[in-house]
Amino acid sequence: MTVASVIVDVPAKQTDRPFDYSIPEHLNGVIVPGMRVIVPFGPRKIQGFVIEIKSNSDFGKLKEIIEPMDLTPIINDELLALGDWLTEESLCYKISAYQVMLPAALKAKYEKKIRITGDIQALSEELIHVFGKKDIITWEEAVEQGVLSLLQKEAAKNTVEIIYEVKERVKKKKLKHVFSSLTKEELIVAKEQLPVQAAKQRDVIDFILHTDSPIELRKLLSELHISSSTVKGLIQKGLLAEKELEVYRDPFEDRQFARTEPLPLTENQLQAITPILASVEENRHQTFLLYGVTGSGKTEVYLQSIQRVLQSKKEAIVLVPEISLTPQMVKRFKGRFGNQVAVLHSGLSAGEKYDEWRKIQRKEVKVVVGARSAIFAPFENLGIIIIDEEHETSYKQEENPRYHARDVAIERAMNHQCPVILGSATPSLESFARAQKGVYALLSLPSRMNNQALPSVDIIDMREELRDGNRSMFSRLLLEKVKDRLEKREQIVLFLNKRGHSSFVMCRDCGYVVNCPNCDISLTYHRANQQMKCHYCGHEEQVPRQCPECSSEHIRYFGTGTQKVEEELVKVLPEARIIRMDVDTTSRKGSHEKLLDQFQEGHADILLGTQMIAKGLDFPNITLVGVLSADTMLHLPDFRSSEKTFQLLTQVSGRAGRHEKEGEVVIQTYTPEHYSIELAAEQDYDRFYEQEMMLRKIHKYPPFYYIALVTVSHEELMKVVSVTEKVTTYIRSKLSNEAICLGPVASPIPRINNRYRYQCLIKYKREPGLNQALKKMLDQYQQEIHTNGLQISVDVNPFILM
Ligand code: ADP
Ligand code: ZN
Ligand code: ZN
C-alpha cells in the first residue's frame, strides 16, 4: 500500500496536522510530495498538500485520495521543509504556511486546463486521440479519460502545461480600434478615388492595407502623426470602421531595455564585493549588511554579485519594497540580465503573476525581482538573496503567517548555503546591532559616487514662525527658496509626512474631535465628497455643521492633506506648475509612473506628495526638497517611531542634489530639538544609532530584547479584560524571571469595529518555552474562538503595536 500524508485546507487547530490517505492503484507514482490533491474530508471534498509518501500508516482504515490537482509538484522539498519552520516561527497553521508560498492564481478557484506547448505529434497516440483537433482540454476531460499519468510524463518534458483561466472580476481594458470591412481590392480602388489633397487619408489606408487585424486608434494616430479627424473622415466615407477591443495590460517585460555592461568597480565597491563573492564561490552561508548612503553604488554591487552567481549556474532573489519597485528599478536588473529576470509585484494581475511564477518554476529565469512574497520563489539552486532597503517595515507581513522576509531569507540561505545581502542607507537597529556583534558581516560604502556632497539641510521651527505671525503651512525660508528655484527653472519636491495623523475634524472652540462611533479613533476627512470616514471599520458620515459638544459653528477639518497644501501653494505661487502624488491621484494603474515621467520631462516645477515620493526619485534637476511636517510620525505609540522618522527624513533628503547641481533641504517641524530630526538633518546614522540604542536599552526594547504581542478582542469589555488577565498570568508563569510580561493593558486603539481590544506585551531575551506556551494558550481558547467570537492574535516580533 502507498500512503500520502496530506495537510488539508482547513485552517483550524484540530486539522493542523497531516492526515493519511491511501493512494489508489491508478495514481500510484503519479502523486508525489508537493502536489495538491482532492481528498474526502468528512462529507466534503477538499484540497490538500501532499507532504510525504510512505508505505504504511499508523492509522487503520484509510480513505482514498480522489484525484491530483497538479501534474508536477508546485512546492519543492526545500519549501516543504520551510513550511514547517514557518509554522514553528510564526505560530501559524501549516496550511497557511504553504498557501503563502503560492501565487494567487493557484489559491483561488480558477478553471484549470491543459494545453499542448510543443508539437502535438510528439505526444503519445492515446493523448493525440484525447486532444483531437484541440490544443487545450479541460482538467475534467483529462480525468474522465484517465490520462493524468500520461500527461504528467509530458509535463515533465514541457510538452504540455497546466493553465489557469482566471475568471477576472477586474474590468478588462478596452480601447478603440479601427479596421476596414472592405476587401483589399475595394480599398485600393477607394483610395484612388480620394481627393488629391487627402494625402493623410491615403497614408492611413496604406497603413491599413498592410495590417491584418484591427489597429488601436491611438497607435495609428501617433504612428502616422495625424489627428483623429483624418480617421473620422474615412469612417464617415465608410472606408473604415471602429470598434472597442480588449487590450492586454503591459507588464514590464514587454519592453525592451537597453543592455548595460558591468561598471569597473571603485575601491570601496571592490572591498565590499570581495567577501560576498568569496562566500558565493565557497558555497558558504553568511549574512552581509551592506551599509551605504543612497547613491553610493550598492545596486552595482548587487548586480555584479548576481552576475557571479549566474556564472556558477545558480539563481538569485532580489527583494525591494513594493513602493520602490518602479520601472527605473526593474530597468537596472533587466538591463543587465535581460529575459533571465522575472518580476513579481502587486501591479500584475493574478494571471500575470502566475505567468512570472511559472517562469521561475520552469527554470526559464534565473533572477527574480519582487516585493516581500518573492522570497518564496520556487528556485532550487539559490546562490544569493538580496534585500534592498532592508529596514523597510513592509517586509513584515501583518497577517497570518506573520513572517519577516529577512528571517525567511536567512533560513533559505542556510538551506542553500549561500549569502544574504541586506542593503540600506539607514539599517534597522536590529540589523546594525547584529553587524556590530559580528553576527552579520558589515560592509560599508561610505561615500556617494563621484563624491557628491550631501545636501545642506535647514531645520525650521514652525512654532517660531507662528510667533512671528506666519500662520501659513510654509515657513518664510522655504517659500523664499521655492521662489528662487522657480526663477532658476529648477525643480522642487515637497514632502508631506501623512502617516500618523491625517486630516481630522475638530471644533476650534472646545477642541472636540469627531470620533468613529464603533472605534476609538478619529474619523478622517475626505475632501472629495465632504465626508468623514473611519479607516478601520469603514463607517462614513457627513461633517457636522455645529459642534455636538458646544454648538459652535467653528468646527472644521484640521491637519493638512496634500490637496490642502496644493490649494495653498496655488494661492501663494500662482505661477508654479504642480504635480500632486497621493493615493487619490495614483490609484489608477500606471498613473504613478505617468506622473513621475511628466515631472522628469519638466512639465512641472513642484512635485508634491506623501510617502510614495520618498523613494527612488533620481532626477538631475531637483535642487530643493521641502519637508512640510517632520514630526507627525514621532508621536505614534510605537517604540520605532524615532527610527522611522529618522529613516524617512534621511531618505527624503537624499532626493536633492543627486547630480551636478547642489541640493538643499528644508525640514519644517514643531520639535526641532528631537534627536531623530537633528541627526537626520546631519545625515548622521552612526550618532542616531548610538542615541537610539541607549534609549532602547533603558526601555528594554529590541534589539536588546525580543518582543511578542498578544492581542485579545471581543464585543464585551469584561470578557476581554478577564481573558487577557488569564493569558498574561499563564504566560508569565511559563517564563523565566528575566522576561517581562506587560499586561493586561488596553491596546493603543482600544476599540475597533465595536470590539474591545486588550493586549499583553512580552519582552524577553531567551525563552525557549515561549512559543510552546503561546501555542498552548491558543489551544485552550480554541473552543471560545470558534463559538463565541473571541479573537486572540499572537505576533512574534510585531511591527505594528496598535
Ligand atoms: P545605490 O544603489 O547605493 O543608491 P547606485 O548603485 O544606484 O547606488 O549608484 C549610484 C549611481 O552611480 C548610479 O547612477 C550608478 O550607475 C553609478 N555607479 C555605481 N557604481 C559605479 C561605478 N563603479 N562606476 C561608475 N558609476 C557607478
Ligand atoms: Zn465645540
Ligand atoms: Zn470605525
Side-chain angles (χ1 to χ4, degrees), residues 288-351:
F288 297 94
L289 177 61
L290 180 58
Y291 163 47
V293 294
T294 25
S296 60
K298 295 189 294 296
T299 310
E300 190 60 35
V301 171
Y302 302 155
L303 290 169
Q304 298 198 18
S305 305
I306 294 173
Q307 190 182 352
R308 183 66 60 94
V309 165
L310 297 187
Q311 278 162 6
S312 41
K313 304 260 177 289
K314 293 191 173 184
E315 300 127 359
I317 296 178
V318 183
L319 298 189
V320 295
E322 184 68 55
I323 198 163
S324 32
L325 198 48
T326 57
Q328 284 179 323
M329 182 71 175
V330 171
K331 192 163 101 190
R332 300 201 56 185
F333 289 88
K334 289 226 167 191
R336 192 65 57 89
F337 304 116
N339 57 12
Q340 298 189 80
V341 181
V343 180
L344 288 171
H345 66 100
S346 66
L348 300 178
S349 69

Side-chain angles (χ1 to χ4, degrees), residues 507 509-512 547 549-552:
C507 170
D509 286 329
C510 76
Y512 172 83
C547 171
E549 284 290 307
C550 73
S551 303
S552 155

Side-chain angles (χ1 to χ4, degrees), residues 39-46 63:
V39 293
F41 196 77
R44 295 182 293 158
K45 286 183 187 177
I46 59 172
K63 288 186 184 167

